[in-house]
Each structure stands twice: as structure tokens, then as C-alpha cells.
Amino acid sequence: MTQRKGEKPTISIQEHMAINVCPGPIQPIKQISDYFPRYPRGLPPSAPPPKAGHTGLQSSTPSSSSAAASATESDRPNEDKPDRACAGASASSQASRRDEEPDVEGYDSDDSTTLGTLEFSLQYDQENNALNCTINKAKGLKPMDHNGLSDPYVKLHLLPGASKANKLRTKTLHNTLNPVWNETLTYYGITDEDMVRKTLRISVCDEDKFRHNEFIGETRIPLKKLKPNQIKNFNNCLEKQLPVNKTEDKSLEERGRIMISLKYNTQKSCLVVGIIRCAHLAAMDANGFSDPYVKTYLKPDENKKSKHKTAVKKKTLNPEFNEEFCYDIKYADLTKKTLEVTVWDYDIGKSNDFIGGVSLGINANGERLKHWFDCLKNKDKKIERWHTLTNELPGSLNE
């Protein structure tokens, strides 16, 4: 076939179909799945059959295909045993994880490790009704500032009934992700009843001067885990903020603690009520303090003469009063009476603010009822107890 100058070559359809057709051996082409085998667990791997488009070519390629298969198997020694390879990888990862993560109490999820860990210790001093919380240090805190660091501090709350009155906090340490505080914070007025039903919430936060402080992580410890007068150490991973139970009765919001003494004097036939001290009172003034004083009533009060009042203590949330009041009453009538104790913040030029109150008597419950019964059973003996102040006004008292 002659071709003139300038003409394009013409190819017949038969010649076009015959191009690049060769009866020689066809080598297997590696696919991406060959490098990442996925065999069913427990079944031995089986080599996929070679693909061939013509039956006549199948007999001419077994030797070359087997050689290629053996070569690929020698290059990938662990592919024929995926279970062993996966087990080895998981074992090595677990070993490295054990080296990096301490065995801590309260660890819940892998996400919590990104927030850091907190070392602290707790002790319930049963004799002095105190809960000592020693905040030691934190490690690997999540950076919250633009410089890749944080300004961390720790704050404590008692749940349920959390409020500013029962919040304690450490000092702030600046520009660190591994702060060391070694600071002891103490809750006073903690009773055995509190140790059964209360939970200590420990939060780590980042302090910011020009905006709201940021939450880093928290951990919660049920106080029933503690044994009296024994120090228990913790090294917990911080967790994301847990939701607060919104169904909790807000009327039981805690406003502080008060220590009251009761004694029935048989010689004078009177009930002696002692107002000893208060602790962790709610701050009612703009300066972060209160000017507290205490009022007591013995109800029912037909003659309106049962009111007694302590002196005012200026600028304090932990006042000490050490004052006693006497109520002339027959011993048999105590079973019909209720002692109402209220704490107020004194203000000049406006109405005084109610801080909190508590009622003791036959209609009370828990520690308040027990205190009243102990007084009745032990004549001429002073019985001291701590009680929780709530924002619920006892009875229908008015200032």
C-alpha cells in the first residue's frame, strides 16, 4: 500500500485489533489490596487466582506467576499471618501506652488524657469535723492561651448544694502546664451525714485577666470512699465538664455552716443555746464578704419574747461568736418546741440580707433531729453539732 505525501496513514479495523497482541506470558499486576490484606479472622490467606483473558495463556504462566507470588510473599513476611501482625502491633502500642499513662483512679476515656492529670489527697478529720484537701500538682494540662501555656488554678465544690459559699480555690500559677501547688484547703463543719451523701468536685481552670476564666477539666470523688482520719491519695485524669443535675431542689442551696450547742439546765429549768461559730458563709456584699450576725427563736412563741441576737462581726465569712442564750422552759415542753436559727448580713441604710437558716426540733430530720434528741436524753450536758445553712427561711420569719 502506497502512501502519498501529506496523507494520514489509514489502519484497517483488523490491523487495529491486532496491535499489541502478543501470545507471550502475562505478569500479574500488583494492586493496592496486596499491600493491605484483609483476611477473615481465623482463616489462612489464599492467593487470588491469576486473571487471564484467554484460556490458552493459562498453561504458559504458572511458573512465572508462582515465582512472582513467592517473591511478594518473601517481601511481605507478615502478610500471611495478619492476626499475629495485628497482635504484635497492639501489644507494642499497649506497652508504650502503659509507659506514658499512669495507672490512675477514675480513668474513664482516652479523651480525658488530653486534659491532663491531677494529684491530690483527701482526709476526713472526724474529731474536728473537717475535710482536708491537699492539692499537690497537675501534669500535662491542656494549653488554653495563645502562647501554648495556661494560668491554672484549682477550685473545690461540695455536691449537691454547690454555691459560692462552699467554694474553695488555690492560688493561680502562671504560664505552666505542669503546676505544683502543694496547697491544703479545708472544709469545716463536715458531718458524718455529709460524708455519706456528698461528692467533692475538683475543677482545674485557666485564669484570664480580660475575659471569663476557662474550664480545663474536673474530677469528682464521692466522700463515702474516704475512711475517717485516714489520708487517701489520688492521681486522676481530668474529664470534660459533667452535667449538673438541674432537677435538684434549689431551696436546698447551701449558704454555709453553723456550730450550735444545746444544753438543758435542770437547776435553772432552762434551755441554753450556744452560737459558737460559722464557716463558709455566703458573701452578700460587693467586697466579697458579709457582716454576719445570728438570731434565734423558740417556736411557737406566744409572747413574742424568744428572740435573741448575737453581735455583728464585720467583713468575715467565718465568724466566731461564742455567745449563749437561755430560754426558761419546762423540760416536758421541749418536745413541743422548735428552735429556729437564722444568719443575717448587716447593712446600713437598707434591709439586712438573709444568708441562711436551720431548724432544730421534733419536726426536723437527720442531724438536726438527732441533735435535739441528744439534748433531751443528756440533761446538763452540752451537745455541740455542726449544721448546714440553707437559703430556705425557717417558718415565716421576717426581718
Side-chain angles (χ1 to χ4, degrees):
M1 178 179 176
T2 60
Q3 181 179 352
R4 296 180 181 180
K5 188 176 181 181
E7 291 183 356
K8 294 182 179 179
T10 59
I11 301 175
S12 65
I13 187 64
Q14 291 83 2
E15 292 175 333
H16 178 76
M17 298 296 294
I19 291 176
N20 292 334
V21 175
C22 178
I26 299 177
Q27 299 294 333
I29 301 175
K30 290 185 178 181
Q31 299 185 11
I32 190 67
S33 61
D34 292 337
Y35 296 95
F36 303 97
R38 295 291 184 269
Y39 301 118
R41 186 173 296 276
L43 297 178
S46 58
K51 297 181 181 179
H54 195 275
T55 57
L57 302 177
Q58 213 166 5
S59 61
S60 60
T61 58
S63 60
S64 59
S65 62
S66 61
S70 62
T72 56
E73 288 176 1
S74 62
D75 294 338
R76 294 177 276 122
N78 286 331
E79 283 185 7
D80 60 341
K81 298 177 181 178
D83 292 340
R84 184 180 301 176
C86 294
S90 62
S92 60
S93 64
Q94 289 175 358
S96 61
R97 199 172 297 164
R98 280 196 299 269
D99 295 337
E100 296 174 359
E101 300 173 1
D103 184 15
V104 297
E105 182 175 349
Y107 175 78
D108 285 333
S109 65
D110 292 337
D111 293 338
S112 62
T113 59
T114 62
L115 303 177
T117 60
L118 181 67
E119 294 184 19
F120 58 97
S121 63
L122 303 176
Q123 180 196 30
Y124 173 47
D125 186 349
Q126 191 174 33
E127 182 179 355
N128 297 313
N129 295 102
L131 177 63
N132 300 314
C133 313
T134 301
I135 308 299
N136 296 322
K137 60 183 178 180
K139 289 184 179 179
L141 293 180
K142 179 181 178 181
M144 305 298 290
D145 298 335
H146 296 297
N147 59 2
L149 300 173
S150 294
D151 303 316
Y153 67 92
V154 177
K155 63 179 181 179
L156 311 180
H157 283 101
L158 284 175
L159 305 175
S163 65
K164 291 183 179 179
N166 63 32
K167 182 186 78 172
L168 300 176
R169 62 162 289 174
T170 66
K171 60 187 177 183
T172 301
L173 300 181
H174 297 282
N175 296 324
T176 178
L177 299 180
N178 301 285
V180 179
W181 289 283
N182 290 329
E183 193 171 340
T184 299
L185 307 174
T186 302
Y187 279 106
Y188 295 100
I190 301 298
T191 63
D192 292 340
E193 183 181 5
D194 292 326
M195 297 300 295
V196 173
R197 66 184 186 93
K198 291 285 188 180
T199 296
L200 179 66
R201 177 188 180 191
I202 306 178
S203 306
V204 181
C205 300
D206 170 59
E207 183 178 283
D208 286 320
K209 292 184 178 179
F210 304 106
R211 54 180 179 175
H212 292 295
N213 296 342
E214 296 180 291
F215 175 85
I216 297 178
E218 71 170 39
T219 184
R220 298 187 183 186
I221 305 297
L223 297 185
K224 60 185 178 182
K225 286 188 175 183
L226 305 181
K227 296 181 179 180
N229 305 314
Q230 292 186 12
I231 298 176
K232 185 167 184 179
N233 298 313
F234 297 86
N235 185 5
N236 285 18
C237 286
L238 297 176
E239 305 176 51
K240 296 179 181 178
Q241 193 163 17
L242 300 176
V244 179
N245 185 7
K246 295 183 179 179
T247 61
E248 181 183 336
D249 189 1
K250 293 185 178 180
S251 66
L252 297 180
E253 178 186 337
E254 293 186 4
R255 295 294 187 90
R257 311 272 170 147
I258 184 169
M259 178 181 276
I260 301 172
S261 67
L262 298 178
K263 172 185 173 182
Y264 186 78
N265 191 323
T266 56
Q267 293 181 351
K268 297 181 179 180
S269 296
C270 68
L271 175 67
V272 182
V273 178
I275 305 300
I276 301 174
R277 58 180 295 199
C278 294
H280 314 298
L281 292 180
M284 307 303 290
D285 297 335
N287 59 8
F289 293 98
S290 293
D291 302 318
Y293 68 95
V294 179
K295 294 194 299 181
T296 63
Y297 293 83
L298 193 62
K299 297 291 189 75
D301 183 18
E302 293 83 3
N303 299 323
K304 307 293 182 181
K305 295 182 179 180
S306 69
K307 176 182 173 181
H308 290 281
K309 187 167 67 172
T310 68
V312 177
K313 302 296 181 180
K314 295 289 187 178
K315 292 183 64 175
T316 178
L317 300 180
N318 300 281
E320 293 191 12
F321 298 100
N322 293 317
E323 297 187 36
E324 290 185 343
F325 309 114
C326 291
Y327 291 98
D328 294 328
I329 186 174
K330 295 179 181 180
Y331 177 78
D333 293 338
L334 285 178
T335 57
K336 305 173 185 177
K337 296 291 186 178
T338 297
L339 178 68
E340 294 181 348
V341 181
T342 55
V343 183
W344 300 80
D345 169 53
Y346 178 75
D347 288 319
I348 300 177
K350 61 178 182 178
S351 298
N352 297 334
D353 299 318
F354 172 71
I355 297 178
V358 63
S359 296
L360 292 83
I362 197 68
N363 296 320
N365 52 37
E367 291 286 336
R368 297 170 295 169
L369 178 61
K370 186 175 183 297
H371 192 185
W372 192 257
F373 274 144
D374 287 345
C375 173
L376 298 180
K377 290 188 297 183
N378 299 278
K379 299 176 183 179
D380 297 313
K381 181 179 180 181
K382 182 185 291 187
I383 308 294
E384 296 181 353
R385 292 281 191 279
W386 280 97
H387 297 284
T388 300
L389 297 169
T390 68
N391 62 341
E392 187 176 33
L393 193 64
S396 56
L397 296 178
N398 292 318
E399 178 61 9

